[in-house]
Amino acid sequence: MLLSDLQSGESGVVVRVAGHGAFRKRIIEMGFIKGVTVQAILNAPLKDPIKYRIMNFEVSLRRSDAEKVEIVTLAEAEKEIASHKDFRAIDAPEKKLEHIAEHRTHTINVALVGNPNCGKTSIFNIAAHAHERVGNYSGVTVDEKVGVFQYEGYTFNLVDLPGTYSLSAYSPEELYVRKHILEKDPDIILNVVDGSNLERNLYLTTQLIDMDITMVMALNMYDELQRSGDHLDIEQLSTLLGMPIVPTTGRNGQGIADLFNKIIEVFEGRDTKTRHIHVNHGPELERCITTLRTELYEHGFSDRLSTRFLAIKLLENDRQLEQYAAERDTDGSVLAMRNQIAEEYKRSSGHLLVDNRDDSGHKVAVEQSRQDIESAITDAKYAFVRGALAECYTKNEKSTLHQLTDKIDAVVTHRWIGYPVFLIVMFITFFCTFAVGQYPMDWLESLFGWLGDAVGSVMSEGPLRSLLVDGIIAGVGSVLVFLPNILILYLFISFMEDSGYMARAAFIMDKLMHRMGLHGKSFIPMIMGFGCNVPAIMATRTIEDRKSRLLTMLVIPMMSCSARIPVYVILVSAFFSQYAAYVLTGLYLLGMVMAVLMAKLFSRFFVKGESLPFVMELPPYRMPTAKAVLRHTWEKGKEYLKKMGTIILGASIIVWALSYFPTNDNRQLQAENSYMAKIGKTIEPAMRPCGFDWRQSVSLLAGIGAKEVVASTMAVVYATSDDEAVALEEDFESEEGGSRISELVRDNMTPLSAASMLLFILLYMPCISTIVAIKNESGKWKWALFTVAYTIGLAWLVATAFFQIGSLLL
């Protein structure tokens, strides 16, 4: 608990003191060090400040200061000891407090901060034995990930934060990272730096230095730095930056153990390299910063965050911190001082030149362009970085490290070749998804066919037999057999993401995206939507422009997620098996076309505003490790299996119950008069123009929760509604080939209605999880409900137009 929560008369032992700079130094000097007992004596009449007794003397602290001190009370100690059998032998209350306080002091909170694509998540996965998404493009981590692990007697709470280029208020991830650092106040900031791109990465480091926080640097991708032939004096750079630097390679875990050993040293205060420095911005800027810092200190701004950091950010016109300053400085003197300093600097930054002459030969005064203070601070930080690197870094001008990247880019980003290459890559992906995945899918189909026959043969007719055979085995099995197809799709997507090709796809698509009202960065979340729409929606946080971000959210449901694959494969196998790869590729491309067309429509009529420039890092190509690709593929496979045991199982049982009851001795009459049939026949008139009968209609209705349920519903509905299904239970495959469910579909649909259903599945509303994600990311339910309405309407219009025109032509 916090010291401010301690009631009068209660005691606790100090665990740690948070805060920054002068505040932390002052309170530690007053005796608030870990392991010391402190007692709350009384509160002032207005509950603030509070008097405490520590080291046999009394001291008063404001409640806001006391909130920075973490303690452990006897009640907490007893509760924690009771939960650990190794601690239960401790009897004396003082020993309990000391023991738990010592245990708490061996907990280190570490936040990973760095540029996008610098390898933070790779280090996080290795250290915490986690399996978070890793990709060779920006924006993979769109939220914080927390991992807890034990190392050398210490408990590490490791937080992987989104990649950010700075701590400004420009993008959501920048605000998110800054807010976490300021509010969570981690013990150590692990600044992960790409060793192959030091100058750009160290700009963020200079901003972290301004915050006056304890840091350790992981010089990641050190293997690439060595292969390039560049030379870096790590010891010298460590001295210049005032923090220890540990070279690491996140791909294979090299240096990770040394990194966390160094974190322990810094946490315990044993590292001699750790010292606080100031980034020198030059005499004029330093004078401005010092003047504003003095004003901030006089107004009591030193208790929450570094006044130097706050002064610099106010001079940079940071909107969020301007609001923070305005709330605490009611008379407005701080912001008035900031405005005065900025204006004086701008006036003094221009110089008059009197040696220029006009056309007639007379001297004229020409004023140089004046630089605003925000740009000057940025220039000064980069000058500091360049100056530091000039002392310790030597670049190999003959390096061939990026030659391979340049050669590949010459092809995949070529004006004319780039687009065919992208189409070929997509075709190969979907061909393998269908053709290669067909073999293990057939094996699983045989397994579930055998299982259904075995269970049916040992049980007598009745509801339980029907539940197991027609409900659970037919419903869950009909979806589970497509696991190989989904794994193959994720395998290809993971390879494209990890290699760096995904960023190139966004690069070549930017012009088209821009013409349609989207951003080039929109393409990456859209491609991610092929796997699952939910993380794709979350990945839109990497788009700084709110207009483009919202438009991307609204059109991502047009992208065919993996949940649609079971339905695609069923229908394609039944009617278009000879052209499967072409049909699947066409569906995915059609989804992309519809997405950009809808984006153009929305940007014109619904989502107004100017788009920001396209700025995106193009990382060098890297060969993905088989372990990383397979791990990510299997993680997605586990999510699919988990859904089988929860959503799909529950939906299959519900669909079976609605299809089975009310019971009737005649199987056909029972199906025609079931509750499911009544629901289907109620909505059938609305769906008949699309070419759907009540069975297809009710399957689509069931798919609102999750698209896989469409396949399981079709399996259950057809298995209990068609006399031919009974006969098909004895013969797994027909002479024409295809799965049992595909045979049932072929006997109850036409190629035209099947194609219409493929279009409807492609376009109609996403699952409930995606709708909730749109609400969370947009901040408003109206956009989530708008997505539901427009996708259903669009799917109905497209499917109806296709079926009706096709009926006239065929």
Side-chain angles (χ1 to χ4, degrees), residues 13 36 309:
V13 174
V36 173
F309 175 75

Side-chain angles (χ1 to χ4, degrees), residues 450-469:
W450 170 84
L451 181 61
D453 292 341
V455 173
S457 64
V458 299
M459 298 183 67
S460 58
E461 287 287 343
L464 182 59
R465 179 184 183 275
S466 180
L467 170 63
L468 292 176
V469 176

Side-chain angles (χ1 to χ4, degrees), residues 418-461:
Y419 297 103
V421 167
F422 174 73
L423 293 176
I424 291 171
V425 170
M426 299 300 293
F427 177 82
I428 292 173
T429 298
F430 300 126
F431 176 80
C432 293
T433 298
F434 187 87
V436 178
Q438 183 68 41
Y439 297 101
M441 187 184 79
D442 289 344
W443 301 334
L444 288 174
E445 191 89 46
S446 299
L447 174 63
F448 281 102
W450 170 84
L451 181 61
D453 292 341
V455 173
S457 64
V458 299
M459 298 183 67
S460 58
E461 287 287 343

